[in-house]
Amino acid sequence: EGAQLLLVARGSQALRRAAAMKLNIANPSTGCQKLYEIEDEKKLRTLYDKRLATEVDGSDLGEEFAGYIFKVMGGQDKQGFPMKQGVLTADRVRLMMAKGDQGCRGYGMRKGERYRKSCRGCIISHNIAVLHLVIVKKGDAELEGLTDKQIPRRLGPKRASKIRKLFALSKEDDVRKYVIRREVPAKSEDKKPGSKAPKIQRLVTPISLQRKRHRLAVKKARQVKAKSEAAAYQKLLALRQKEAREKKAEKMSQRRSQRSSQASM
């Protein structure tokens, strides 16, 4: 009897583990993320048969998530294979993937080469072990470690338009004065601490405008040259065709005169 009870207990534990699912919830506004483990099958059934990119009501997952709305961004099954958007099945499939496709990093692959790789479909089922969610709408209650603290961004924006958007700048403002610099500690005591700043991308400068004008001028010169060459070719072609017609007409007249002279003899 003791052995049977032990087997039953182990079986129930295995079933609980099979039913459990981990939810990796991220909060983009604070930069925090936290892992929750849900073992209640009733709560998990509200997620089943939903697809990636669908929104989920937080109250279905627990009372502490009341008022929250989450968006399903991805997940992995129990063997670690990722879910792939657009594969409308809950099973695992093997797809031909090229370098750069979702689920295929393509290390060592040549251009045009494709591999058949395994991935899980985009429909949530009991086979999913970890589900990645993002907070779309915040509820009334705070979630410890997720909404009650702020993690500062280590790096600032790099693109010029995004720097303007962050500081609400106009086109007349100089973006280079608003780049977020990162302090670098000194490597030794006798050296001074430094700072690093990103190289601003898509920055409109006088030299970039000059290069753009040069590109447009070269393009326009190519168009003018092509048009003039085409016109000269058409003129030469018309001249050659006229010469060919005149030559043909001369030959025809010569033949007629020869025929008429032979007929008169």
Side-chain angles (χ1 to χ4, degrees), residues 8 13 47 58 101 108 123 152-153 191 203 241 252 258 262:
V8 170
Q13 286 178 1
L47 294 172
D101 291 347
I123 299 174
R153 288 178 61 181
K191 292 185 178 180
L203 181 65
Q241 287 175 347
M252 292 291 288
Q258 285 176 1
Q262 287 176 1

Side-chain angles (χ1 to χ4, degrees), residues 79-123:
Q79 286 75 34
F81 292 99
M83 297 174 71
K84 186 174 175 67
Q85 181 67 285
V87 183
L88 299 177
T89 179
D91 302 324
R92 193 190 307 161
V93 294
R94 286 171 61 81
L95 302 176
M96 294 293 290
M97 296 187 191
K99 183 177 181 180
D101 291 347
Q102 182 191 356
C104 181
R105 288 179 290 188
Y107 293 147
M109 291 176 67
R110 300 176 68 181
K111 186 178 180 181
E113 187 178 3
R114 295 197 298 167
Y115 283 166
R116 191 173 291 279
K117 298 183 75 66
S118 296
C119 65
R120 180 67 64 172
C122 68
I123 299 174

Side-chain angles (χ1 to χ4, degrees), residues 7 15 42 217 230:
L7 286 171
L15 284 172
K42 188 177 178 182

Side-chain angles (χ1 to χ4, degrees), residues 28-197:
S29 60
T30 61
C32 302
Q33 64 177 8
K34 192 174 180 181
L35 195 68
Y36 293 89
E37 188 166 357
I38 296 179
E39 297 181 353
D40 190 356
E41 182 69 19
K42 188 177 178 182
K43 294 177 182 177
L44 293 177
R45 278 178 188 163
T46 60
L47 294 172
Y48 292 163
D49 296 330
K50 283 187 168 62
R51 297 181 187 177
L52 292 180
T54 56
E55 293 185 353
V56 179
D57 191 0
S59 57
D60 296 337
L61 303 175
E63 295 178 357
E64 67 269 23
F65 302 117
Y68 284 84
I69 294 177
F70 303 109
K71 186 176 181 181
V72 182
M73 302 300 291
Q76 285 88 27
D77 63 6
K78 289 168 185 174
Q79 286 75 34
F81 292 99
M83 297 174 71
K84 186 174 175 67
Q85 181 67 285
V87 183
L88 299 177
T89 179
D91 302 324
R92 193 190 307 161
V93 294
R94 286 171 61 81
L95 302 176
M96 294 293 290
M97 296 187 191
K99 183 177 181 180
D101 291 347
Q102 182 191 356
C104 181
R105 288 179 290 188
Y107 293 147
M109 291 176 67
R110 300 176 68 181
K111 186 178 180 181
E113 187 178 3
R114 295 197 298 167
Y115 283 166
R116 191 173 291 279
K117 298 183 75 66
S118 296
C119 65
R120 180 67 64 172
C122 68
I123 299 174
I124 303 169
S125 67
H126 63 280
N127 295 312
I128 302 298
V130 183
L131 204 61
H132 303 287
L133 306 175
V134 168
I135 296 176
V136 177
K137 181 184 175 185
K138 186 175 177 291
D140 298 329
E142 296 284 343
L143 297 177
E144 185 182 355
L146 196 60
T147 59
D148 58 348
K149 65 177 182 178
Q150 187 92 12
I151 295 178
R153 288 178 61 181
R154 179 175 164 269
L155 300 175
K158 187 181 176 76
R159 192 183 299 175
S161 60
K162 293 191 175 180
I163 297 173
R164 285 196 186 95
K165 185 179 178 182
L166 180 65
F167 293 102
L169 303 177
S170 63
K171 288 188 176 181
E172 288 75 23
D173 295 323
D174 190 2
V175 181
R176 290 170 289 188
K177 296 179 181 178
Y178 295 88
V179 179
I180 298 174
R181 303 190 70 87
R182 180 168 59 90
E183 299 297 328
V184 179
K187 294 182 179 179
S188 59
E189 294 180 357
D190 57 338
K191 292 185 178 180
K192 294 181 180 179
S195 63
K196 285 186 177 181

